[in-house]
Amino acid sequence: MPRRPFPDNTPGTSRSTSATIPPNILRYLALVADGYGVDLHSELTRVGLDETVMRSAGLRVSYRQGSAVIRRAVELTGDAHLGLRVGAAQHLTAWGLLGFAQLAAETLRDAVETGVRFQNLSGAMVVWSADEEETGYVLRADLPDPALDPTVAVFLAEEAFASVVTLTRLSAGVEFAPQSVEFAFPAPPDIHPFAELFRCAVRFAADENRMVFPMVWARRPMPGRDPVTYAATLEVLEEAMASRRDQQDLLEVLEISIAQSLPDVPSVVEQARRHASSERTLRRRLAECGTTYEAVVDGVRRERVEQLLYRSEATMRDIARQAGFSDVRALRRAVRRWHGVAPRQLRVREGRVGS
């Protein structure tokens, strides 16, 4: 099995700024945070995810939204291993039809590969890949962006492997333990929670995030295996994936078009004309993606502003102009809405000083 058999899962524009990810992680994050006495309602609302929206079956969030809530949750709970807790709290039911397909798979390896194949439907915030090696059956979790905030990167790696181990024990056997687990981040002061959860050798500061399954477990039959149910479920998942690919293609094309046009922003009517459709059709397709044209424009502008704030010494006037804002005041309002601070404060916080 090739390392990256499904190109749609590689990092791209739409995975960063547009809403394409089922919010399973955020739902469990809110539950775990509540156990610490931390209410994430205001943080979710800040990024546009109020209680009603979070209950929507069709809800999709962006990496930007997810990362912002994760970062704040780690700060508020003070738990450096929050990713482990969130991963360990999950159930296969959160993955919907995909979780059901994994339960019906023939072997544990088939279940894992089904998860890798349809990861875009699971709410994954890492990029999964798996293949057999001399050491065993290896599952890898790559980060969507090498420049990801370290706090978020650690959380995602912990949550990824903690959820895999937890769901494997729930579906295949409580005695399951990986052969080894490796994390790319440095060893924390306290590694006891890792040893307690994984029950195997855990290595830090590794070249990549990976988990090795003993081959005896990879080949182990799933207790709920059912070939007829499995095949029928895969057909439905394939249809869902085709629809998701169309959505991601649309979002990425729009984002690239907007980014290339800045400081001018094409109107939704102009974008519809470029796609040989009507404005009404384009807006309907975006609604099916869980977003709007205005939200896509806002995401692209935000990315451009952050790039200029963090990676250049451009003046606020230059940044406002290059990102398509009418003036510096409009830029300030947007940055305060995104981050809760003024542009200069954000630049200083990130180690940049500009005029």
Side-chain angles (χ1 to χ4, degrees):
M1 181 178 178
R3 285 285 305 278
R4 297 197 190 286
F6 305 100
D8 332 3
N9 297 325
T10 54
T13 307
S14 62
R15 291 180 67 89
S16 147
T17 61
S18 293
T20 59
I21 309 165
N24 300 334
I25 293 177
L26 297 188
R27 288 196 179 107
Y28 278 96
L29 176 61
L31 288 173
V32 172
D34 187 61
Y36 285 83
V38 172
D39 185 356
L40 290 182
H41 179 266
S42 62
E43 302 305 322
L44 291 166
T45 302
R46 188 193 300 270
V47 297
L49 301 173
D50 60 31
E51 187 172 349
T52 302
V53 171
M54 284 292 287
R55 289 180 178 177
S56 169
L59 173 64
R60 299 293 181 267
V61 301
S62 69
Y63 269 96
R64 193 178 301 283
Q65 289 172 306
S67 297
V69 175
I70 289 169
R71 185 183 305 109
R72 187 63 177 147
V74 173
E75 292 175 358
L76 292 173
T77 62
D79 186 350
H81 303 307
L82 192 62
L84 292 182
R85 323 292 184 208
V86 173
Q90 294 181 38
H91 299 278
L92 272 171
T93 51
W95 293 15
L97 200 59
L98 174 55
F100 188 61
Q102 290 178 289
L103 287 172
E106 181 65 23
T107 66
L108 179 56
R109 175 172 181 162
D110 292 328
V112 171
E113 292 184 359
T114 300
V116 171
R117 180 177 181 181
F118 296 105
Q119 60 186 282
N120 271 7
L121 303 176
S122 71
M125 290 183 70
V126 296
V127 182
W128 291 108
S129 60
D131 55 341
E132 186 174 334
E133 297 182 2
E134 291 183 4
T135 55
Y137 186 64
V138 180
L139 180 65
R140 292 179 174 82
D142 295 326
L143 297 174
D145 182 353
L148 199 65
D149 180 297
T151 297
V152 177
V154 169
F155 176 95
L156 292 182
E158 290 183 352
E159 185 279 332
F161 287 150
S163 63
V164 167
V165 166
T166 299
L167 299 182
T168 299
R169 288 172 181 159
L170 288 172
S171 61
V174 293
E175 70 276 21
F176 170 76
Q179 188 168 301
S180 63
V181 175
E182 297 179 4
F183 289 105
F185 56 83
D190 182 12
I191 64 173
H192 177 70
F194 294 84
E196 184 178 39
L197 174 64
F198 295 114
R199 306 176 200 160
C200 69
V202 180
R203 179 185 168 207
F204 299 92
D207 292 335
E208 57 188 352
N209 299 307
R210 62 180 232 153
M211 174 184 292
V212 181
F213 287 71
M215 287 308 302
V216 65
W217 270 96
R219 299 189 182 106
R220 184 165 175 159
M222 293 291 289
R225 61 191 180 281
D226 187 314
V228 175
T229 299
Y230 181 67
T233 308
L234 288 192
E235 288 184 10
V236 180
L237 291 174
E238 289 285 6
E239 293 176 3
M241 276 291 290
S243 174
R244 182 65 55 81
R245 279 192 290 267
D246 290 342
Q247 292 177 356
Q248 289 182 329
D249 287 346
L250 171 64
L251 292 169
E252 188 155 354
V253 166
L254 286 176
E255 288 180 336
I256 291 173
S257 173
I258 296 165
Q260 291 177 340
S261 299
L262 288 177
D264 298 319
V265 177
S267 69
V268 66
V269 174
E270 176 60 25
Q271 292 286 19
R273 188 179 300 117
R274 293 179 186 180
H275 289 81
S277 71
S278 66
E279 176 186 354
R280 181 176 179 179
T281 298
L282 179 57
R283 287 194 180 279
R284 175 180 57 77
R285 292 183 65 194
L286 287 171
E288 291 171 353
C289 298
T291 189
T292 64
Y293 184 65
E294 291 72 24
V296 175
V297 170
D298 193 57
V300 173
R301 276 178 161 166
R302 175 173 177 168
E303 189 169 42
R304 180 64 58 85
V305 168
E306 290 173 354
Q307 287 173 345
L308 293 169
L309 277 172
Y310 300 163
R311 304 171 191 174
S312 76
E313 300 302 333
T315 65
M316 295 303 158
R317 183 174 298 175
D318 289 337
I319 294 173
R321 179 182 55 79
Q322 292 183 50
F325 288 99
S326 58
D327 53 33
V328 173
R329 285 179 298 177
L331 169 66
R332 290 196 188 104
R333 286 195 296 270
V335 173
R336 190 169 290 281
R337 172 166 54 85
W338 296 329
H339 294 281
V341 297
R344 286 191 177 86
Q345 291 174 289
L346 185 64
R347 174 173 266 178
V348 169
R349 190 171 75 188
E350 296 297 327
R352 291 283 185 181
V353 179
S355 57

